[in-house]
C-alpha cells in the first residue's frame, strides 16, 4: 500500500526537517497493532512542497489571529470551539499527491506547527510534533481506521447532522449495528461465550466481544462490539472486530502472492530439475504460511521455494500449486478469501532423447535390434548421449528466482524503516 506524505508550512530550507518529521510520525504509527505487524505492506513517499512561510494559520490566537502563507493553507480550529482541529485545502493536497503517486492509498499531510492538531476524512492531517504529543500516533491510527477499513466512530457525543444508519439494511460500517438479536449481529463470529444483549460495561464483560450500547454519536439503540476500542478512545487498542476489519482492508490492497517463477506452464526432460518460487509480502512477525501440492499430494516444504525433479515426477503432465496464506488468529471471517492466494504450474515431462518413454530405468528395448555378444562390447548407440537429460550442465531455462520487482523500487529510496517498509522522496513544484 502506498502512503503519500506531503508537508505544509515547510520553507525551502526545511526539507530535511519535513523528511525527519515524516519518519518520526510513521515510526510511531507502526508501533500500533495491527499496523505494526503489517508495516512491511506499506511504502511511503515524501513529496517535497515548499511554502513561503513556516507554520499554519491560527484564527483562534489572541490578541490577533496568526496568518501564514503556505502551500496548502493549513489552519487550526476548522470547526467552532475546536482549536485542535487542523485542516487544509483538501483539493490542492490531493492533486499534488496524485500527481506524485497515482496509485496512492493514503494521503498524510504533515503541518509544520508545534501546536497539537489533526483531522481525518479523505486525507489525514496532523501537526508535526509527535515527540511532544505522542498521542498524534493514536490519532493517526484512529483516522486510518476510517480511511482504510471504513470503521465508524464509537463516540456517544451528539452529532445532530450526522446521517443515521438505515433501519432496513443496518449500518454499513463493520463495527456498529442496529441489530440486537444474536443471530443478526454482524460480528457474531467473535462472540465466544454467552453474554447479555445488550452487554453491560461491567466486569466480567470489559474484555469480551458482545453488544455494547452507544456508538456513532448516539447513546441508545445502536451498538458497538466492545466496551472500549481505538475507535471509541484513541490510545486504546483496537477491539478484535476493528482489528479484523483493518487486516482485511490491508489484503484488499496487498495480495498474498506478488509473483511466481518460472512461468506457469513449461516443459522438462527426465533428468532436469527446476526451482519453483512465489514472492510473498512479509509480516513483521514472520513470513506468511505456504503449502505446496503436487497433484493431490501435499509436500513437506513450507517455504516460498520448491525444488522439482522431473525424474521424481515421471513422464506425463503434472500440476504443482503453492497456496500462500495469512493464518493470523486476528481474522476469523474472510468472506472473499483475501488472506489466501494460489499459484499453479502445469509441467509436461518427457523422456530424455534416446530413452524410451518408461524413463532411464524402465521400458523395453526396441524390437529387431541384435543382441550384443560377449566379445563384441557395447555398440556405439549405447554410449552416453550428451543430449540426454542425464547431464551435469545447468538447465538454460532454470530460474534464478522470482522476477517480481521489489516493492517501491521505481522510487528514490531515502531511508529504510521497519523491515520492508520504506520512505522515499520526490520533489514537487
Amino acid at each position: 500500500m502506498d502512503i503519500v506524505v506531503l508537508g505544509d508550512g515547510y520553507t525551502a530550507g526545511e526539507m530535511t526537517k519535513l523528511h525527519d518529521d515524516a519518519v518520526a510520525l510513521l515510526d510511531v504509527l507502526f508501533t500500533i497493532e495491527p499496523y505494526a505487524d503489517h508495516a512491511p505492506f506499506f511504502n511511503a513517499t515524501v513529496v517535497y512542497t515548499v511554502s513561503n512561510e513556516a507554520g499554519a494559520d491560527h484564527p483562534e490566537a489572541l490578541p490577533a489571529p496568526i496568518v501564514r502563507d503556505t502551500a496548502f493553507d493549513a489552519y487550526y480550529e476548522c470547526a467552532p470551539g475546536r482549536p485542535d482541529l487542523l485542516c487544509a485545502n483538501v483539493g490542492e493536497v490531493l492533486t499534488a499527491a496524485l500527481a506524485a503517486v497515482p496509485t496512492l492509498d493514503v494521503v498524510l499531510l504533515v503541518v509544520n506547527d508545534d501546536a497539537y492538531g489533526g483531522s481525518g476524512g479523505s486525507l489525514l492531517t496532523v501537526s508535526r510534533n509527535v515527540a511532544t504529543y505522542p498521542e498524534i500516533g493514536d490519532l493517526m491510527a484512529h483516522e486510518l481506521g476510517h480511511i482504510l477499513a471504513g470503521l465508524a466512530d464509537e463516540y456517544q457525543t451528539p452529532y445532530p447532522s450526522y446521517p443515521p444508519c438505515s433501519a432496513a439494511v443496518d449500518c454499513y460500517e463493520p463495527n456498529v449495528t442496529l441489530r440486537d438479536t444474536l443471530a443478526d449481529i454482524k460480528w457474531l463470529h467473535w462472540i465466544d461465550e454467552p453474554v447479555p444483549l445488550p452487554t453491560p460495561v461491567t466486569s466480567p464483560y470489559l474484555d469480551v466481544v458482545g453488544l455494547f450500547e452507544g456508538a456513532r454519536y448516539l447513546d441508545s439503540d445502536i451498538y458497538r462490539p466492545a466496551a472500549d476500542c481505538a475507535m471509541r478512545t484513541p490510545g486504546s487498542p483496537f477491539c478484535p472486530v476493528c482489528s479484523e476489519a483493518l487486516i482485511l482492508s490491508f489484503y484488499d490492497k496487498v495480495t498474498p502472492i506478488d509473483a511466481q517463477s518460472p512461468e506457469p506452464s513449461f516443459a522438462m526432460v527426465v533428468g532436469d530439475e527446476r526451482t519453483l518460487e512465489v514472492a510473498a509480502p512479509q509480516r513483521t512477525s514472520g513470513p506468511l504460511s505456504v503449502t505446496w501440492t503436487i497433484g493431490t499430494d501435499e509436500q513437506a516444504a513450507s517455504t516460498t521455494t520448491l525444488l522439482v525433479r522431473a525424474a521424481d515426477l515421471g513422464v506425463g503432465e503434472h500440476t504443482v500449486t503453492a497456496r500462500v496464506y495469512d493464518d493470523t488468529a486476528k481474522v476469523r471471517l474472510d468472506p472473499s478469501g483475501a488472506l489466501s492466494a494460489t499459484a499453479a504450474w502445469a509441467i509436461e515431462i518427457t523422456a530424455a532423447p534416446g530413452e524410451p518413454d518408461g524413463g532411464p530405468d524402465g521400458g523395453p528395448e526396441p524390437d529387431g535390434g541384435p543382441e550384443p555378444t560377449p566379445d563384441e562390447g557395447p555398440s556405439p548407440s549405447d554410449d552416453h548421449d550428451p543430449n540426454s537429460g542425464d547431464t551435469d550442465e545447468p538447465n538454460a531455462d532454470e530460474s534464478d528466482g522470482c522476477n517480481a520487482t521489489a516493492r517501491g523500487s521505481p522510487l528514490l529510496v531515502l531511508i529504510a524503516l521497519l523491515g520492508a517498509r520504506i520512505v522515499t522522496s520526490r520533489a514537487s513544484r
Side-chain angles (χ1 to χ4, degrees):
M1 285 179 285
D2 291 310
I3 300 177
V4 177
V5 184
L6 302 95
D8 195 33
Y10 290 85
T11 62
E14 294 180 299
M15 293 298 101
T16 299
K17 180 182 181 183
L18 168 58
H19 174 264
D20 292 345
D21 289 345
V23 171
L25 286 163
L26 292 174
D27 276 347
V28 172
L29 171 66
F30 286 108
T31 64
I32 300 170
E33 291 293 352
Y35 304 104
D37 195 31
H38 296 84
F41 285 33
F42 291 83
N43 292 331
T45 302
V46 178
V47 180
Y48 294 111
T49 304
V50 175
S51 294
N52 291 327
E53 294 182 307
D57 293 350
H58 283 267
E60 80 289 358
L62 296 174
I66 297 172
V67 179
R68 294 286 182 263
D69 180 10
T70 65
F72 299 119
D73 302 319
Y75 62 103
Y76 286 80
E77 200 174 26
C78 50
R82 289 291 308 277
D84 61 337
L85 203 58
L86 176 60
C87 300
N89 188 321
V90 175
E92 291 289 335
V93 176
L94 294 181
T95 297
L98 287 166
V101 183
T103 58
L104 63 84
D105 299 295
V106 176
V107 179
L108 169 61
L109 180 67
V110 182
V111 178
N112 185 21
D113 198 295
D114 287 338
Y116 173 82
S119 65
S122 53
L123 65 92
L124 174 57
T125 303
V126 295
S127 55
R128 61 164 296 273
N129 200 357
V130 70
T132 302
Y133 300 106
E135 59 266 33
I136 291 175
D138 301 323
L139 171 66
M140 294 170 65
H142 172 97
E143 294 300 336
L144 284 175
H146 296 308
I147 295 170
L148 293 174
L151 296 172
D153 280 326
E154 296 178 4
Y155 314 136
Q156 293 174 233
T157 306
Y159 190 158
S161 62
Y162 199 75
C165 295
S166 165
V169 298
D170 201 6
C171 306
Y172 65 87
E173 302 97 335
N175 62 321
V176 289
T177 183
L178 301 176
R179 309 292 186 246
D180 58 3
T181 302
L182 183 64
D184 297 330
I185 299 174
K186 62 180 73 175
W187 53 82
L188 175 62
H189 58 285
W190 278 105
I191 299 179
D192 291 329
E193 56 190 78
V195 293
L197 301 179
T199 310
V201 186
T202 58
S203 179
Y205 307 114
L206 297 178
D207 296 317
V208 304
V209 174
L211 193 72
F212 296 83
E213 193 166 22
R216 211 173 180 270
Y217 317 115
L218 297 171
D219 286 321
S220 60
D221 300 322
I222 189 167
Y223 307 94
R224 63 188 190 275
D228 199 15
C229 176
M231 298 311 296
R232 182 174 176 86
T233 310
S236 294
F238 284 97
C239 74
V241 172
C242 292
S243 182
E244 177 182 72
L246 274 166
I247 294 171
L248 289 172
S249 78
F250 300 160
Y251 282 101
D252 281 342
K253 306 292 185 182
V254 178
T255 177
I257 296 179
D258 290 329
Q260 67 182 91
S261 175
E263 62 278 4
S265 179
F266 62 92
M268 296 175 71
V269 174
V270 171
D272 289 349
E273 60 181 38
R274 294 193 76 169
T275 297
L276 310 185
E277 185 173 3
V278 287
Q282 184 95 350
R283 295 171 304 187
T284 303
S285 60
L288 301 184
S289 299
V290 185
T291 299
W292 290 92
T293 304
I294 298 178
T296 59
D297 298 329
E298 187 172 316
Q299 305 300 296
S302 59
T303 64
T304 55
T305 61
L306 178 71
L307 179 64
V308 173
R309 295 182 176 89
D312 293 340
L313 298 182
V315 172
E317 296 181 351
H318 303 271
T319 299
V320 180
T321 61
R323 177 175 172 260
V324 182
Y325 55 98
D326 190 335
D327 58 1
T328 176
K330 294 180 179 180
V331 174
R332 291 187 179 181
L333 185 62
D334 178 16
S336 65
L339 273 67
S340 175
T342 299
W345 291 263
I347 307 172
E348 182 179 0
I349 297 177
T350 57
E355 297 287 356
D357 288 345
D361 299 322
E365 284 285 353
D367 291 338
E371 292 291 335
T373 61
D375 57 349
E376 285 178 334
S379 67
S381 62
D382 290 328
D383 289 343
H384 176 70
D385 184 350
N387 295 316
S388 74
D390 220 7
T391 175
D392 293 330
E393 291 297 319
N395 183 356
D397 293 331
E398 193 164 333
S399 170
D400 290 328
C402 282
N403 296 320
T405 302
R407 293 171 186 273
S409 60
L411 308 177
L412 174 62
V413 178
L414 249 174
I415 185 167
L417 296 171
L418 294 175
R421 185 171 60 83
I422 58 173
V423 169
T424 61
S425 67
R426 285 182 176 177
S428 176
R429 297 188 182 179

